[in-house]
Amino acid sequence: MKRVLLLIPTTSYRAQAFVEAARCLGIEFTIASEKANILASLNPDGLVTIAYDNLRKAIDEVKAFAREHTIDAVVGVDDQSTIFAAELSASLGLSHNSVESVVAAHDKFLTRRRLEGSGVCQPRYHLYSAEDEAESVAQEIVQGSRGFTFPCVAKPLTLSASRGVIRANGRRELVSAFVKIREILRSPALEYSSWEASNHILIEEYIDGCEVALEGLLSNGRLRVLALFDKPDALVGPIFEETIYATPSRLPEDVQGEVASTTERAAHALGLKTGPIHAELRINSRGCWPIEIAARSIGGYCSRALRFVDKSDGGRVVSLEEILLRHALGMQLENLQRERKASGVMMIPVPRAGVLKEVSGLEEAKAVENIEDVVISIPPGERLTPLPEGGKYLGFIFSRAETVEEVEVALREAHRQLEFLIDEQDAARVENEPTEVWPKGVAATRPRREAS
């Protein structure tokens, strides 16, 4: 029986989904986390602790485990573990993307460097040290001495979920954005894959247009599109908080084809050849512009928005996680296709900083027509930090319907039913946090009603 090693940090939402997928396939699996699990003694073959902060030690630990239990594939499930998965696969002689290609996909500056000369559209850009004088940086952009001017976007190299990504329309805004990102990079809670990632800021010209997300699989360098998500909410800044993903895309077929071919060429330029791809692209009259090409699948709970049908197994419903495990183990995928219904997910944004006290309206939100589920992923009592500093969503809303228009309507209506009681005064009393001034008092926030 085949065994897969799943690199799942303890903070990941996806452990249960991968466990269920492995059981559906009838394969052995071992979860490798950075912290010991109290259940490990009951299932020593299924749980192992490895040193995520020490690659050499982790490789030795996995090799020792592999001497007792054959490992056929290593799967990293999020940004934290994809590079680690490539390193471990290489050490075990398993099929994998090169470590260099995964590192390049993980680092926004290296992605830009690799895409040069690939023939795909990309913004002009420049890398700055986080220690550079913000006024001097802004003056360079004002003068156009780096090949572009305003509007521009400043961003960290490796943070996900749009954390620290800020648009600037002029000198003063860029100075503020640069200082803000530098503060975020200095947060003691963050971990980086390299010194460069923790000490540099990328500035690139702003690309307008609609934005989409492509979920796909690479096999021998060829891309198979699993889903193309529209992002119907305009992402124009100053921060880029994602909300709704809806599929199938409403873009014309020829534009969808161009998105797929651009993603495949960008993946080739990065050196990626196998495994999942999650790509973010902007589309305008000048073409398709890759914003990010990640060597992983869609993050968090969002994978629940995708379901597939196995035509060779009586139309059995298959999760994205099962597809990823099948692909990693070289199992057949030819008879799998995305379900006929439209689907979507809303990532519930954090309205403002504070301590979450209560969420109401859950039953009303779940009762909205075409809503499948509403998941609040931050428990009461936990501090909320909005973008650009924060990196978590309040939760996720899922919908399925006959049309993508119905999905979008349902997601917005369910969101309107939710009310969040946030104590902003408590947030100011949290120790060891940045010294920001919060408004006093407790306020109930209901999402703003959008024009229909």
mmCIF file of all heavy atoms in Angstrom, residues 34-71:
data_model
loop_
_atom_site.group_PDB
_atom_site.id
_atom_site.type_symbol
_atom_site.label_atom_id
_atom_site.label_comp_id
_atom_site.label_asym_id
_atom_site.label_seq_id
_atom_site.Cartn_x
_atom_site.Cartn_y
_atom_site.Cartn_z
ATOM 1 N N GLU A 34 5.170 20.472 12.999
ATOM 2 C CA GLU A 34 6.326 21.008 13.708
ATOM 3 C C GLU A 34 6.220 20.836 15.217
ATOM 4 O O GLU A 34 7.186 21.052 15.941
ATOM 5 C CB GLU A 34 6.521 22.490 13.353
ATOM 6 C CG GLU A 34 5.556 23.458 14.026
ATOM 7 C CD GLU A 34 4.199 23.522 13.347
ATOM 8 O OE1 GLU A 34 3.867 22.611 12.551
ATOM 9 O OE2 GLU A 34 3.458 24.476 13.620
ATOM 10 N N LYS A 35 5.020 20.426 15.698
ATOM 11 C CA LYS A 35 4.824 20.231 17.132
ATOM 12 C C LYS A 35 4.327 18.822 17.402
ATOM 13 O O LYS A 35 3.602 18.247 16.584
ATOM 14 C CB LYS A 35 3.812 21.245 17.677
ATOM 15 C CG LYS A 35 4.273 22.690 17.591
ATOM 16 C CD LYS A 35 3.222 23.626 18.153
ATOM 17 C CE LYS A 35 3.681 25.072 18.051
ATOM 18 N NZ LYS A 35 2.641 26.006 18.566
ATOM 19 N N ALA A 36 4.703 18.289 18.525
ATOM 20 C CA ALA A 36 4.274 16.943 18.892
ATOM 21 C C ALA A 36 2.772 16.915 19.105
ATOM 22 O O ALA A 36 2.180 17.859 19.624
ATOM 23 C CB ALA A 36 4.997 16.491 20.160
ATOM 24 N N ASN A 37 2.150 15.824 18.702
ATOM 25 C CA ASN A 37 0.711 15.651 18.866
ATOM 26 C C ASN A 37 0.474 14.636 19.976
ATOM 27 O O ASN A 37 1.131 13.596 20.042
ATOM 28 C CB ASN A 37 0.105 15.149 17.545
ATOM 29 C CG ASN A 37 -1.404 15.193 17.556
ATOM 30 O OD1 ASN A 37 -2.047 14.546 18.368
ATOM 31 N ND2 ASN A 37 -1.976 15.950 16.627
ATOM 32 N N ILE A 38 -0.491 14.935 20.840
ATOM 33 C CA ILE A 38 -0.741 14.056 21.986
ATOM 34 C C ILE A 38 -1.259 12.690 21.554
ATOM 35 O O ILE A 38 -1.237 11.734 22.323
ATOM 36 C CB ILE A 38 -1.736 14.692 22.973
ATOM 37 C CG1 ILE A 38 -3.074 14.995 22.271
ATOM 38 C CG2 ILE A 38 -1.166 15.956 23.586
ATOM 39 C CD1 ILE A 38 -4.151 15.485 23.224
ATOM 40 N N LEU A 39 -1.721 12.587 20.285
ATOM 41 C CA LEU A 39 -2.232 11.307 19.798
ATOM 42 C C LEU A 39 -1.145 10.470 19.123
ATOM 43 O O LEU A 39 -1.411 9.352 18.687
ATOM 44 C CB LEU A 39 -3.375 11.545 18.802
ATOM 45 C CG LEU A 39 -4.594 12.310 19.340
ATOM 46 C CD1 LEU A 39 -5.600 12.517 18.219
ATOM 47 C CD2 LEU A 39 -5.226 11.568 20.496
ATOM 48 N N ALA A 40 0.068 11.015 19.033
ATOM 49 C CA ALA A 40 1.123 10.326 18.293
ATOM 50 C C ALA A 40 1.400 8.930 18.848
ATOM 51 O O ALA A 40 1.674 7.993 18.096
ATOM 52 C CB ALA A 40 2.397 11.166 18.305
ATOM 53 N N SER A 41 1.309 8.764 20.168
ATOM 54 C CA SER A 41 1.617 7.460 20.754
ATOM 55 C C SER A 41 0.584 6.407 20.371
ATOM 56 O O SER A 41 0.873 5.214 20.379
ATOM 57 C CB SER A 41 1.689 7.575 22.278
ATOM 58 O OG SER A 41 0.441 8.029 22.798
ATOM 59 N N LEU A 42 -0.641 6.848 20.032
ATOM 60 C CA LEU A 42 -1.693 5.919 19.646
ATOM 61 C C LEU A 42 -1.577 5.503 18.184
ATOM 62 O O LEU A 42 -2.097 4.452 17.801
ATOM 63 C CB LEU A 42 -3.064 6.556 19.889
ATOM 64 C CG LEU A 42 -3.365 6.985 21.327
ATOM 65 C CD1 LEU A 42 -4.727 7.651 21.405
ATOM 66 C CD2 LEU A 42 -3.295 5.787 22.260
ATOM 67 N N ASN A 43 -0.907 6.325 17.379
ATOM 68 C CA ASN A 43 -0.761 6.031 15.951
ATOM 69 C C ASN A 43 0.611 6.494 15.486
ATOM 70 O O ASN A 43 0.743 7.467 14.763
ATOM 71 C CB ASN A 43 -1.871 6.741 15.154
ATOM 72 C CG ASN A 43 -1.827 6.356 13.686
ATOM 73 O OD1 ASN A 43 -1.168 5.401 13.292
ATOM 74 N ND2 ASN A 43 -2.525 7.127 12.864
ATOM 75 N N PRO A 44 1.674 5.805 15.907
ATOM 76 C CA PRO A 44 3.037 6.263 15.620
ATOM 77 C C PRO A 44 3.354 6.301 14.136
ATOM 78 O O PRO A 44 4.240 7.047 13.712
ATOM 79 C CB PRO A 44 3.921 5.241 16.361
ATOM 80 C CG PRO A 44 3.053 4.044 16.539
ATOM 81 C CD PRO A 44 1.661 4.573 16.713
ATOM 82 N N ASP A 45 2.678 5.488 13.322
ATOM 83 C CA ASP A 45 2.935 5.506 11.890
ATOM 84 C C ASP A 45 2.248 6.687 11.201
ATOM 85 O O ASP A 45 2.608 7.055 10.083
ATOM 86 C CB ASP A 45 2.432 4.217 11.234
ATOM 87 C CG ASP A 45 3.170 2.993 11.751
ATOM 88 O OD1 ASP A 45 4.214 3.171 12.419
ATOM 89 O OD2 ASP A 45 2.705 1.862 11.491
ATOM 90 N N GLY A 46 1.238 7.264 11.835
ATOM 91 C CA GLY A 46 0.435 8.291 11.191
ATOM 92 C C GLY A 46 0.791 9.700 11.580
ATOM 93 O O GLY A 46 0.320 10.651 10.953
ATOM 94 N N LEU A 47 1.615 9.870 12.594
ATOM 95 C CA LEU A 47 1.979 11.202 13.052
ATOM 96 C C LEU A 47 3.468 11.236 13.366
ATOM 97 O O LEU A 47 3.996 10.347 14.030
ATOM 98 C CB LEU A 47 1.177 11.577 14.300
ATOM 99 C CG LEU A 47 -0.342 11.670 14.137
ATOM 100 C CD1 LEU A 47 -1.026 11.571 15.501
ATOM 101 C CD2 LEU A 47 -0.729 12.960 13.450
ATOM 102 N N VAL A 48 4.132 12.277 12.883
ATOM 103 C CA VAL A 48 5.552 12.417 13.160
ATOM 104 C C VAL A 48 5.867 13.897 13.331
ATOM 105 O O VAL A 48 5.251 14.750 12.686
ATOM 106 C CB VAL A 48 6.410 11.809 12.024
ATOM 107 C CG1 VAL A 48 6.188 12.541 10.711
ATOM 108 C CG2 VAL A 48 7.889 11.796 12.394
ATOM 109 N N THR A 49 6.765 14.192 14.238
ATOM 110 C CA THR A 49 7.179 15.577 14.482
ATOM 111 C C THR A 49 8.532 15.811 13.825
ATOM 112 O O THR A 49 9.466 15.023 14.022
ATOM 113 C CB THR A 49 7.293 15.858 15.989
ATOM 114 O OG1 THR A 49 6.044 15.554 16.620
ATOM 115 C CG2 THR A 49 7.640 17.315 16.242
ATOM 116 N N ILE A 50 8.615 16.883 13.020
ATOM 117 C CA ILE A 50 9.888 17.206 12.376
ATOM 118 C C ILE A 50 10.244 18.660 12.664
ATOM 119 O O ILE A 50 9.373 19.481 12.957
ATOM 120 C CB ILE A 50 9.852 16.959 10.853
ATOM 121 C CG1 ILE A 50 8.805 17.838 10.169
ATOM 122 C CG2 ILE A 50 9.603 15.501 10.547
ATOM 123 C CD1 ILE A 50 8.836 17.740 8.652
ATOM 124 N N ALA A 51 11.510 18.962 12.563
ATOM 125 C CA ALA A 51 12.010 20.299 12.883
ATOM 126 C C ALA A 51 11.906 21.197 11.648
ATOM 127 O O ALA A 51 12.804 21.232 10.810
ATOM 128 C CB ALA A 51 13.457 20.209 13.363
ATOM 129 N N TYR A 52 10.820 21.918 11.519
ATOM 130 C CA TYR A 52 10.641 22.813 10.375
ATOM 131 C C TYR A 52 11.677 23.934 10.351
ATOM 132 O O TYR A 52 11.940 24.516 9.297
ATOM 133 C CB TYR A 52 9.237 23.427 10.412
ATOM 134 C CG TYR A 52 8.158 22.576 9.782
ATOM 135 C CD1 TYR A 52 7.798 21.356 10.335
ATOM 136 C CD2 TYR A 52 7.491 22.998 8.645
ATOM 137 C CE1 TYR A 52 6.805 20.581 9.773
ATOM 138 C CE2 TYR A 52 6.492 22.225 8.069
ATOM 139 C CZ TYR A 52 6.155 21.009 8.640
ATOM 140 O OH TYR A 52 5.165 20.232 8.062
ATOM 141 N N ASP A 53 12.229 24.249 11.505
ATOM 142 C CA ASP A 53 13.215 25.329 11.564
ATOM 143 C C ASP A 53 14.645 24.829 11.386
ATOM 144 O O ASP A 53 15.593 25.605 11.508
ATOM 145 C CB ASP A 53 13.100 26.077 12.904
ATOM 146 C CG ASP A 53 13.318 25.163 14.107
ATOM 147 O OD1 ASP A 53 13.306 23.921 13.922
ATOM 148 O OD2 ASP A 53 13.496 25.684 15.225
ATOM 149 N N ASN A 54 14.814 23.545 11.091
ATOM 150 C CA ASN A 54 16.156 22.979 10.909
ATOM 151 C C ASN A 54 16.087 21.938 9.801
ATOM 152 O O ASN A 54 15.754 20.773 10.044
ATOM 153 C CB ASN A 54 16.638 22.355 12.230
ATOM 154 C CG ASN A 54 18.082 21.884 12.154
ATOM 155 O OD1 ASN A 54 18.574 21.453 11.113
ATOM 156 N ND2 ASN A 54 18.771 21.962 13.289
ATOM 157 N N LEU A 55 16.407 22.356 8.586
ATOM 158 C CA LEU A 55 16.232 21.489 7.419
ATOM 159 C C LEU A 55 17.045 20.216 7.530
ATOM 160 O O LEU A 55 16.545 19.114 7.275
ATOM 161 C CB LEU A 55 16.603 22.249 6.144
ATOM 162 C CG LEU A 55 16.536 21.429 4.856
ATOM 163 C CD1 LEU A 55 15.132 20.937 4.587
ATOM 164 C CD2 LEU A 55 17.055 22.258 3.680
ATOM 165 N N ARG A 56 18.300 20.308 7.882
ATOM 166 C CA ARG A 56 19.151 19.128 7.949
ATOM 167 C C ARG A 56 18.621 18.136 8.963
ATOM 168 O O ARG A 56 18.565 16.919 8.698
ATOM 169 C CB ARG A 56 20.587 19.560 8.307
ATOM 170 C CG ARG A 56 21.581 18.417 8.515
ATOM 171 C CD ARG A 56 21.522 17.375 7.414
ATOM 172 N NE ARG A 56 21.604 17.947 6.088
ATOM 173 C CZ ARG A 56 21.340 17.276 4.988
ATOM 174 N NH1 ARG A 56 20.919 16.015 5.061
ATOM 175 N NH2 ARG A 56 21.445 17.851 3.812
ATOM 176 N N LYS A 57 18.195 18.633 10.125
ATOM 177 C CA LYS A 57 17.638 17.742 11.133
ATOM 178 C C LYS A 57 16.347 17.111 10.643
ATOM 179 O O LYS A 57 16.104 15.912 10.839
ATOM 180 C CB LYS A 57 17.391 18.525 12.427
ATOM 181 C CG LYS A 57 16.856 17.669 13.568
ATOM 182 C CD LYS A 57 16.651 18.499 14.826
ATOM 183 C CE LYS A 57 16.106 17.630 15.961
ATOM 184 N NZ LYS A 57 15.862 18.446 17.192
ATOM 185 N N ALA A 58 15.511 17.893 9.976
ATOM 186 C CA ALA A 58 14.238 17.373 9.460
ATOM 187 C C ALA A 58 14.467 16.279 8.435
ATOM 188 O O ALA A 58 13.771 15.257 8.427
ATOM 189 C CB ALA A 58 13.418 18.504 8.856
ATOM 190 N N ILE A 59 15.428 16.483 7.544
ATOM 191 C CA ILE A 59 15.740 15.466 6.539
ATOM 192 C C ILE A 59 16.192 14.171 7.211
ATOM 193 O O ILE A 59 15.766 13.070 6.830
ATOM 194 C CB ILE A 59 16.816 15.983 5.557
ATOM 195 C CG1 ILE A 59 16.209 17.069 4.657
ATOM 196 C CG2 ILE A 59 17.388 14.842 4.717
ATOM 197 C CD1 ILE A 59 17.213 17.716 3.736
ATOM 198 N N ASP A 60 17.036 14.290 8.232
ATOM 199 C CA ASP A 60 17.487 13.102 8.961
ATOM 200 C C ASP A 60 16.313 12.398 9.642
ATOM 201 O O ASP A 60 16.233 11.156 9.640
ATOM 202 C CB ASP A 60 18.539 13.498 10.004
ATOM 203 C CG ASP A 60 19.859 13.919 9.375
ATOM 204 O OD1 ASP A 60 20.080 13.592 8.186
ATOM 205 O OD2 ASP A 60 20.654 14.598 10.062
ATOM 206 N N GLU A 61 15.379 13.189 10.198
ATOM 207 C CA GLU A 61 14.221 12.602 10.869
ATOM 208 C C GLU A 61 13.323 11.864 9.880
ATOM 209 O O GLU A 61 12.835 10.759 10.148
ATOM 210 C CB GLU A 61 13.429 13.704 11.583
ATOM 211 C CG GLU A 61 14.146 14.293 12.788
ATOM 212 C CD GLU A 61 13.529 15.582 13.283
ATOM 213 O OE1 GLU A 61 12.763 16.214 12.513
ATOM 214 O OE2 GLU A 61 13.819 15.973 14.424
ATOM 215 N N VAL A 62 13.113 12.461 8.709
ATOM 216 C CA VAL A 62 12.258 11.829 7.706
ATOM 217 C C VAL A 62 12.932 10.589 7.131
ATOM 218 O O VAL A 62 12.276 9.560 6.907
ATOM 219 C CB VAL A 62 11.906 12.836 6.593
ATOM 220 C CG1 VAL A 62 11.217 12.135 5.432
ATOM 221 C CG2 VAL A 62 11.007 13.938 7.145
ATOM 222 N N LYS A 63 14.234 10.661 6.898
ATOM 223 C CA LYS A 63 14.952 9.487 6.390
ATOM 224 C C LYS A 63 14.885 8.330 7.392
ATOM 225 O O LYS A 63 14.720 7.169 6.986
ATOM 226 C CB LYS A 63 16.404 9.847 6.089
ATOM 227 C CG LYS A 63 16.593 10.597 4.776
ATOM 228 C CD LYS A 63 18.067 10.801 4.484
ATOM 229 C CE LYS A 63 18.285 11.375 3.100
ATOM 230 N NZ LYS A 63 19.718 11.576 2.793
ATOM 231 N N ALA A 64 14.999 8.646 8.671
ATOM 232 C CA ALA A 64 14.900 7.599 9.694
ATOM 233 C C ALA A 64 13.510 6.975 9.678
ATOM 234 O O ALA A 64 13.362 5.748 9.781
ATOM 235 C CB ALA A 64 15.209 8.185 11.074
ATOM 236 N N PHE A 65 12.493 7.811 9.512
ATOM 237 C CA PHE A 65 11.124 7.295 9.438
ATOM 238 C C PHE A 65 10.952 6.435 8.181
ATOM 239 O O PHE A 65 10.305 5.377 8.214
ATOM 240 C CB PHE A 65 10.127 8.456 9.427
ATOM 241 C CG PHE A 65 8.693 8.031 9.381
ATOM 242 C CD1 PHE A 65 8.010 7.713 10.542
ATOM 243 C CD2 PHE A 65 8.023 7.933 8.172
ATOM 244 C CE1 PHE A 65 6.680 7.324 10.507
ATOM 245 C CE2 PHE A 65 6.698 7.533 8.121
ATOM 246 C CZ PHE A 65 6.031 7.228 9.294
ATOM 247 N N ALA A 66 11.537 6.900 7.072
ATOM 248 C CA ALA A 66 11.387 6.191 5.796
ATOM 249 C C ALA A 66 12.069 4.824 5.804
ATOM 250 O O ALA A 66 11.707 3.951 5.016
ATOM 251 C CB ALA A 66 11.942 7.047 4.653
ATOM 252 N N ARG A 67 13.067 4.644 6.667
ATOM 253 C CA ARG A 67 13.711 3.326 6.760
ATOM 254 C C ARG A 67 12.747 2.287 7.339
ATOM 255 O O ARG A 67 12.878 1.085 7.077
ATOM 256 C CB ARG A 67 14.982 3.424 7.610
ATOM 257 C CG ARG A 67 16.150 4.079 6.867
ATOM 258 C CD ARG A 67 17.462 3.867 7.608
ATOM 259 N NE ARG A 67 17.533 4.668 8.820
ATOM 260 C CZ ARG A 67 18.031 5.907 8.870
ATOM 261 N NH1 ARG A 67 18.486 6.484 7.750
ATOM 262 N NH2 ARG A 67 18.078 6.575 10.005
ATOM 263 N N GLU A 68 11.782 2.743 8.108
ATOM 264 C CA GLU A 68 10.791 1.846 8.701
ATOM 265 C C GLU A 68 9.494 1.798 7.910
ATOM 266 O O GLU A 68 8.779 0.800 7.918
ATOM 267 C CB GLU A 68 10.491 2.291 10.142
ATOM 268 C CG GLU A 68 11.701 2.285 11.066
ATOM 269 C CD GLU A 68 12.194 0.876 11.362
ATOM 270 O OE1 GLU A 68 11.353 -0.058 11.345
ATOM 271 O OE2 GLU A 68 13.399 0.712 11.607
ATOM 272 N N HIS A 69 9.182 2.905 7.216
ATOM 273 C CA HIS A 69 7.916 3.017 6.495
ATOM 274 C C HIS A 69 8.188 3.671 5.149
ATOM 275 O O HIS A 69 8.558 4.847 5.093
ATOM 276 C CB HIS A 69 6.914 3.868 7.286
ATOM 277 C CG HIS A 69 6.806 3.509 8.728
ATOM 278 N ND1 HIS A 69 6.036 2.462 9.175
ATOM 279 C CD2 HIS A 69 7.397 4.043 9.828
ATOM 280 C CE1 HIS A 69 6.133 2.381 10.487
ATOM 281 N NE2 HIS A 69 6.956 3.331 10.911
ATOM 282 N N THR A 70 8.006 2.942 4.089
ATOM 283 C CA THR A 70 8.267 3.479 2.756
ATOM 284 C C THR A 70 7.391 4.693 2.479
ATOM 285 O O THR A 70 6.178 4.676 2.711
ATOM 286 C CB THR A 70 7.994 2.418 1.679
ATOM 287 O OG1 THR A 70 8.859 1.307 1.913
ATOM 288 C CG2 THR A 70 8.235 2.978 0.291
ATOM 289 N N ILE A 71 7.999 5.762 1.972
ATOM 290 C CA ILE A 71 7.277 6.979 1.597
ATOM 291 C C ILE A 71 7.291 7.087 0.075
ATOM 292 O O ILE A 71 8.351 7.065 -0.552
ATOM 293 C CB ILE A 71 7.921 8.231 2.229
ATOM 294 C CG1 ILE A 71 7.819 8.174 3.749
ATOM 295 C CG2 ILE A 71 7.271 9.508 1.693
ATOM 296 C CD1 ILE A 71 8.557 9.294 4.456
#
